[in-house]
Amino acid sequence: MGYRLTRRGLLSAGSLTAATSLAACASGTTQAAALAEATGAFPPGAPDPLFGPAPGVALLSRNENPYGPSASALAKLREAAEQGAYYVNPEATYTLMKLIAGRHGVEPEQIVITTGSGEALSALALMYGPKGPIVAPRLFWDTTAIYASKLGLASITRVPLTEDMEVDYAGIEAAITPETGMVQLCNPNNPTGLTTPGHIIRPAVARMAEKTTVVVDEAYIELTDDEAGITCLPLLHEGKDVIITRTFSKIYGMAGIRVGYTISSAETAEKIRSTAMSWTPCTSIAAAIGCVDDEAFIAYSKAKITEGRQMVEATLDTLGLPYLKSQANFVYFQSGQPANDLQKAMAAEQISIRGQYMDYAPWSRVSMGKLEDVERFCRALPRLISA
Ligand SMILES: Cc1ncc(COP(=O)(O)O)c(C=O)c1O
């Protein structure tokens, strides 16, 4: 189809504005949650390393995957770092677009590479927010919608979850009006970890997309039991007004390297490309090229995360504590203590977990970090909840 990317198109209208603050990257929701994050996520007294967790700190609050980056990513990254004097060649970006498109059975021009999926989601909030409210579940990864709303360019209509903490798709559909800017969904959802199966989410999204643009944030989908059965990708093949966002931060373990992407129609992709704010570094593009098809690493990464999740679930089962059945790299559970209290008690043991989301005080979230760190959490929990 004669698609050509120009250097100008790829290096479009970028500002160096960081789309998400560190606290926000940790899946922030409200200011109170950000405060809880600041006070508990980085335990007091620990030395401040430049990168990664301080020695002795079990970092289980930010849904990172410590098993990455893969050797395949690092090899390419080093190669690119040697050429760090130069702006990214469009050929490198296009190579990554082609590789990603090949994985998803779409055309390269349907892919937009961004500096983490957070940038893509921020760009989408800025594109669609000014038209009208972003309709979303009450709990979702709302950092980017909040970013646009802080700029006065969006508002959020939050639709309550069901009693089981599931996304209420009928409720969201009913909340759509002619003024709606876009619908934003997250599958699996964060912080609940709950995953909606394809036979439920696809028809719901298809109906919503008749009325407005639907963004489906699939940041954690590669970690689920049935990625192909759950993804909303088939709706793109049907020409629906759907935009999917994905990331290299989770399954590929590259949160600090910053690569994400959108999958949409080519027409929509062109609009997103001109709205995205930053220029993804050559090292990031290179790392993604290195690992995108590294099936052995993907399987390894998923196995480690699943093992951690099973350890946490076994602990919660033994303690009789309620939790949501997650398919992602975190578990949302009730300890019997307010989330911020448990966060502080864990922080005193140099274990970093998430504090409270919105008014969900009884719910805590723990991420699947290194297995030895998950084990520390599992050993500390019984002691701390009976203290
Ligand atoms: C659901 C969800 N989407 C998107 C992001 C943004 O991730 P990134 O910008 O690293 O791709 C996160 C970060 O934790 C997330 O939880």
Side-chain angles (χ1 to χ4, degrees), residues 193-341:
L194 293 175
T195 303
T196 309
H199 71 271
I200 295 177
I201 193 168
R202 285 178 191 156
V205 170
R207 280 193 306 275
M208 292 175 201
E210 293 300 316
K211 301 180 197 152
T212 189
T213 302
V214 184
V215 174
V216 188
D217 173 354
E218 296 187 341
Y220 299 94
I221 203 155
E222 298 92 347
L223 295 166
T224 64
D225 301 337
D226 182 19
E227 177 189 345
I230 292 164
T231 176
C232 281
L233 265 170
L235 298 177
L236 279 178
H237 298 301
E238 294 167 23
K240 304 288 184 204
D241 187 9
V242 172
I243 302 167
I244 292 168
T245 60
R246 297 268 186 124
T247 182
F248 281 77
S249 297
K250 309 302 176 182
I251 188 76
Y252 293 102
M254 301 205 321
I257 294 175
R258 314 301 302 135
V259 189
Y261 60 95
T262 60
I263 320 164
S264 66
S265 71
E267 195 187 1
T268 302
E270 198 49 53
K271 288 185 202 148
I272 301 170
R273 201 168 285 121
S274 63
T275 312
M277 289 147 277
S278 64
W279 303 353
T280 307
C282 63
T283 41
S284 310
I285 303 258
I289 290 173
C291 68
V292 63
D293 285 329
D294 188 342
E295 301 305 336
F297 175 76
I298 292 169
Y300 165 77
S301 202
K302 186 170 168 181
K304 288 287 186 189
I305 288 162
T306 307
E307 198 179 333
R309 217 167 53 212
Q310 285 165 351
M311 277 163 55
V312 169
E313 287 177 355
T315 302
L316 295 170
D317 282 337
T318 306
L319 297 171
L321 297 178
Y323 64 92
L324 301 179
K325 195 79 185 141
S326 170
Q327 287 193 30
N329 62 343
F330 50 90
V331 176
Y332 207 39
F333 67 99
Q334 294 191 2
S335 70
Q337 294 185 4
N340 288 348
D341 289 356

Side-chain angles (χ1 to χ4, degrees), residues 14-297:
S15 93
L16 296 179
T17 310
T20 48
S21 68
L22 187 57
C25 280
S27 311
T29 313
T30 61
Q31 277 187 333
L35 189 66
E37 179 75 17
T39 54
F42 297 93
D48 250 348
L50 279 183
F51 306 107
V57 171
L59 187 51
L60 306 176
S61 53
R62 305 195 299 183
N63 295 350
E64 292 143 326
N65 168 11
Y67 291 97
S70 66
S72 51
L74 290 175
K76 270 277 178 229
L77 183 149
R78 286 188 195 106
E79 187 187 321
E82 297 283 337
Q83 302 299 327
Y86 303 99
Y87 290 117
V88 176
N89 290 344
E91 288 72 18
T93 306
Y94 194 60
T95 297
L96 182 57
M97 288 161 66
K98 273 195 294 192
L99 288 170
I100 291 171
R103 286 185 80 75
H104 297 310
V106 298
E107 298 299 321
E109 63 265 33
Q110 293 180 256
I111 306 295
V112 181
I113 310 288
T114 51
T115 308
S117 62
E119 186 194 15
L121 288 160
S122 292
L124 293 170
L126 296 181
M127 274 171 68
Y128 294 102
K131 182 185 167 225
I134 296 171
V135 178
R138 184 154 190 267
L139 263 186
F140 74 115
W141 194 71
D142 55 10
T143 303
T144 54
I146 290 174
Y147 161 74
S149 81
K150 279 185 181 159
L151 293 172
L153 295 171
S155 62
I156 312 172
T157 300
R158 293 179 186 266
V159 177
L161 302 176
T162 68
E163 267 184 18
D164 301 331
M165 306 284 279
E166 300 272 3
V167 173
D168 179 359
Y169 291 97
I172 289 178
E173 215 180 318
I176 298 172
T177 69
E179 281 73 47
T180 296
M182 70 182 198
V183 166
Q184 185 169 343
L185 303 169
C186 186
N187 193 31
N189 200 9
N190 180 9
T192 66
L194 293 175
T195 303
T196 309
H199 71 271
I200 295 177
I201 193 168
R202 285 178 191 156
V205 170
R207 280 193 306 275
M208 292 175 201
E210 293 300 316
K211 301 180 197 152
T212 189
T213 302
V214 184
V215 174
V216 188
D217 173 354
E218 296 187 341
Y220 299 94
I221 203 155
E222 298 92 347
L223 295 166
T224 64
D225 301 337
D226 182 19
E227 177 189 345
I230 292 164
T231 176
C232 281
L233 265 170
L235 298 177
L236 279 178
H237 298 301
E238 294 167 23
K240 304 288 184 204
D241 187 9
V242 172
I243 302 167
I244 292 168
T245 60
R246 297 268 186 124
T247 182
F248 281 77
S249 297
K250 309 302 176 182
I251 188 76
Y252 293 102
M254 301 205 321
I257 294 175
R258 314 301 302 135
V259 189
Y261 60 95
T262 60
I263 320 164
S264 66
S265 71
E267 195 187 1
T268 302
E270 198 49 53
K271 288 185 202 148
I272 301 170
R273 201 168 285 121
S274 63
T275 312
M277 289 147 277
S278 64
W279 303 353
T280 307
C282 63
T283 41
S284 310
I285 303 258
I289 290 173
C291 68
V292 63
D293 285 329
D294 188 342
E295 301 305 336
F297 175 76

Side-chain angles (χ1 to χ4, degrees), residues 58-60 308-309 311-313 315-316 319 321 331 333 335 342-343 346 349-354 364-385:
L59 187 51
L60 306 176
R309 217 167 53 212
M311 277 163 55
V312 169
E313 287 177 355
T315 302
L316 295 170
L319 297 171
L321 297 178
V331 176
F333 67 99
S335 70
L342 183 66
Q343 185 191 41
M346 286 278 174
E349 306 222 356
Q350 304 291 293
I351 300 169
S352 163
I353 66 167
R354 248 313 289 237
S364 294
R365 194 195 69 188
V366 60
S367 310
M368 300 312 106
K370 289 186 188 143
L371 287 182
E372 60 266 32
D373 290 341
V374 175
E375 218 176 310
R376 270 174 68 188
F377 165 83
C378 291
R379 278 201 310 269
L381 187 63
R383 203 163 16 85
L384 296 180
I385 60 171

